[in-house]
Amino acid sequence: MDYTRKYYELKQLCRKANSHMPIDEFAELRILQFVSESHGESIFSETEKSNEDLLSLGMADSHFTGNNRFNYPVIIPRDGQVHNKAIILLHGLNERFWDKYLPWAYYLALYTNRPVILFPLSFHMNRAPEEWANPKVMAPFIDARKKALCTEDLTFVNLALSCRLTSEPLRFMRSGHQSAVDLIRLSRQIELGEISLFKEGTKPDFFAYSIGAFVSQILLLANPGGLFDKTRFFLFCGGSFFKDMCGVSRMIMDKAAFERINTFYTQTIDEAMQEKKALAMFIDENALGKAFYAMIKQENNKEFREDRFLNASKNIFSLALNKDKVIPPAGISSALALDGRRSEMVEEWDFPFDYTHEAPFPISGKMDRNIVDYWFGEVFTKAAGFFN
C-alpha cells in the first residue's frame, strides 16, 4: 500500500478542494455543511476574560461563529451508489489540519466501500480561529506564558489550547459536550436520510483516534434513544480513562495546562459540582454528563460503564501502540477491562520504526518508507475487516 505517496497527493488535492472533486478513479471528495445547535452556555458558564486567554480575538467562545457553522469533508467511493453504510472518522486533540487523516479516510472508504466522514470536534480543525495556527500571531504570547508559568513543552502549535485550558478547565468538558451533541445530530441526519449520500435507515460506525476515541466512548455509554445500539467503534491509539492519559506534548498542550485540567477532573471536580448546580445536574442527570464522568477514572460510575461495555463488547475494538506515551496501552486495557479481566477488545501492536502517538505513521524522517507503508496497510486492513 503506497501510503506515503497517497498522503502527498491527497494533501495537495484537498487544499484546492471545492464542494465536489474527484480524487482518482476510485474515490471522490465532497464538502458538506453542518450547523451546530449546541453552544453549551446553559450548562457551563464562561468565565474567561483575560487578554492572554482570548489571544486578542476579543470574543467569548460562544461568540465565535466559525465553531457553530462549518464544513466537513467526506471521501466517497466512486460507484454512483446511495450508500446504506457510513464511517465517521474522529481526530486527536489540538488538531488544525486534516492532512494526516486524508489517507486514513481514503483507504477506509476503498476497503469498506462506504463514505467516510471526517468530522471536526468543537474548536478543532476548521472550527477554530485561523489565528491559532499562525506562528506570527501566536509567537508574542509564548514568552509571556513561559515567564509567568515556567512551563515545559510550550510551542506556538499548542499555545492556544494550553492558554485556554489553563484559564478555564471546563472548556475541555464544554467542547466535548458540544462535539458529542453534534455527532448525535449528524448520526440522526444520516439515519433519517437527510444527507443525500445515504439511504434512510443508515447507521454510521466510528473510526476514532486519540481524544476522538474518548468522545466515541462517551457516545457509546450515553447511547441516546438506543442510537448506537448496533454501531461499531474502532479505537486507534485511544480508549483509556482520562486519568491515564498524558497530554503533555509539543503538539497537544504544555505541562502547566495538562496539570491544571488533570487536577481539576481527577481531584477537584466533585468540589466544583457543589459550587455549580448546573454542572452537578449535568453530570448526575444528563446521559452525556454521566458517561463523561464514568470515563474520568475507574471508580466513577463503574457499574454503569462496565454493563454498557459488556453489552457492546462485540462492537468495540481498540488498537493500542506499545510506545504510545500519550494514551498508553495499559490505560486502554484498564478502561475496557470487565470484572478485572484483560479485555478481548484490546490489542497492543508495535511498529519497527520511530513513531509516536501524534505521528503513528510518520511522513518525515529517515525510516524505510516501505516499512511505514506496510504497517499502515496492516492497521487499516484490520479496521476495514472490523467494519465489514
Side-chain angles (χ1 to χ4, degrees):
M1 180 182 301
D2 200 347
Y3 155 74
T4 306
R5 179 180 61 82
K6 207 66 188 179
Y7 169 88
Y8 287 111
E9 286 181 3
L10 290 167
K11 178 180 178 179
Q12 185 175 30
L13 177 69
C14 292
R15 292 290 172 89
K16 306 173 184 177
N18 51 37
S19 60
H20 189 176
M21 178 178 291
I23 294 173
D24 53 27
E25 65 269 35
F26 304 113
E28 64 184 55
L29 174 73
R30 292 195 193 178
I31 305 296
L32 303 182
Q33 294 184 330
F34 189 89
V35 178
S36 175
E37 296 182 347
S38 170
H39 306 164
E41 302 93 331
S42 62
I43 299 173
F44 315 110
S45 60
E46 292 187 285
T47 60
E48 70 278 1
K49 296 297 177 185
S50 74
N51 184 60
E52 180 194 33
D53 177 37
L54 294 176
L55 300 172
S56 300
L57 297 180
M59 66 179 73
D61 287 359
S62 58
H63 296 162
F64 177 64
T65 58
N67 184 45
N68 301 322
R69 184 180 295 271
F70 55 90
N71 296 331
Y72 62 90
V74 188
I75 293 184
I76 311 162
R78 297 188 73 181
D79 55 10
Q81 297 182 25
V82 178
H83 292 265
N84 61 2
K85 294 182 179 180
I87 294 172
I88 298 173
L89 188 153
L90 301 182
H91 57 77
L93 191 62
N94 198 38
E95 301 269 17
R96 295 284 176 266
F97 305 102
W98 284 115
D99 296 350
K100 85 180 183 188
Y101 299 104
L102 293 171
W104 300 17
Y106 174 85
Y107 283 107
L108 280 175
L110 264 59
Y111 287 5
T112 63
N113 194 40
R114 64 177 81 178
V116 179
I117 295 168
L118 297 97
F119 195 81
L121 303 178
S122 177
F123 282 102
H124 286 70
M125 299 298 187
N126 55 311
R127 297 182 66 172
E130 293 182 2
E131 292 92 331
W132 293 355
N134 186 328
K136 293 182 179 180
V137 174
M138 305 307 289
F141 295 97
I142 291 180
D143 289 340
R145 183 168 174 83
K146 284 183 176 178
K147 290 177 182 178
L149 298 176
C150 299
T151 189
E152 301 173 12
D153 293 291
L154 178 65
T155 66
F156 85 87
V157 175
N158 69 24
L159 177 63
L161 184 66
S162 298
C163 289
R164 287 162 54 75
L165 293 183
T166 304
S167 173
E168 179 52 272
L170 275 175
R171 272 195 172 110
F172 181 76
M173 187 190 293
R174 185 166 67 230
S175 179
H177 174 257
Q178 182 174 12
S179 301
V181 171
D182 289 346
L183 287 163
I184 291 167
R185 184 162 185 253
L186 175 68
S187 298
R188 286 177 172 150
Q189 288 176 337
I190 293 170
E191 183 179 21
L192 293 171
E194 294 177 358
I195 298 175
S196 61
L197 300 174
F198 305 107
K199 296 179 181 178
E200 187 175 348
T202 299
K203 296 276 192 177
D205 294 323
F206 284 79
F207 181 100
Y209 162 77
S210 189
I211 204 66
F214 187 72
V215 173
S216 72
Q217 286 169 294
I218 290 168
L219 291 173
L220 185 154
L221 292 175
N223 194 28
L227 182 63
F228 302 114
D229 278 346
K230 297 182 180 179
T231 298
R232 308 211 89 189
F233 294 85
F234 188 99
L235 314 181
F236 181 46
C237 297
S240 78
F241 294 114
F242 173 84
K243 81 169 187 63
D244 292 325
M245 301 179 189
C246 180
V248 181
S249 163
R250 294 173 65 82
M251 302 301 294
I252 303 174
M253 71 182 79
D254 67 17
K255 185 176 181 181
F258 177 72
E259 290 179 345
R260 178 83 164 98
I261 65 167
N262 186 63
T263 298
F264 179 82
Y265 288 107
T266 64
Q267 299 179 34
T268 63
I269 190 170
D270 293 330
E271 296 176 13
M273 289 166 61
Q274 294 177 8
E275 297 174 2
K276 298 175 179 287
K277 291 183 179 180
L279 177 61
M281 289 180 63
F282 174 67
I283 289 176
D284 290 339
E285 301 176 14
N286 184 285
L288 288 171
K290 185 177 180 180
F292 174 85
Y293 191 69
M295 287 305 304
I296 295 298
K297 52 186 178 181
Q298 189 172 30
E299 54 267 36
N300 291 1
N301 295 340
K302 182 178 179 180
E303 184 177 352
F304 158 73
R305 181 185 63 250
E306 291 194 350
D307 284 350
R308 180 66 182 130
F309 281 160
L310 179 62
N311 290 334
S313 60
K314 292 182 179 179
N315 291 331
I316 312 169
F317 181 83
S318 178
L319 180 55
L321 295 184
N322 177 267
K323 295 182 179 68
D324 190 336
K325 296 180 180 179
V326 175
I327 306 182
I332 297 171
S333 295
S334 176
L336 292 176
L338 302 172
D339 298 325
R341 294 178 285 108
R342 179 174 175 80
S343 176
E344 296 180 358
M345 294 180 275
V346 183
E347 283 187 16
E348 181 180 334
W349 289 17
D350 195 16
F351 301 148
F353 51 82
D354 189 17
Y355 66 88
T356 62
H357 172 89
E358 300 92 325
F361 310 108
I363 291 296
S364 60
K366 298 181 180 180
M367 67 282 293
D368 187 329
R369 305 313 315 168
N370 291 325
I371 296 177
V372 176
D373 290 358
Y374 170 81
W375 283 100
F376 173 87
E378 290 294 291
V379 169
F380 283 87
T381 299
K382 181 81 173 182
F386 178 75
F387 291 127
N388 286 332

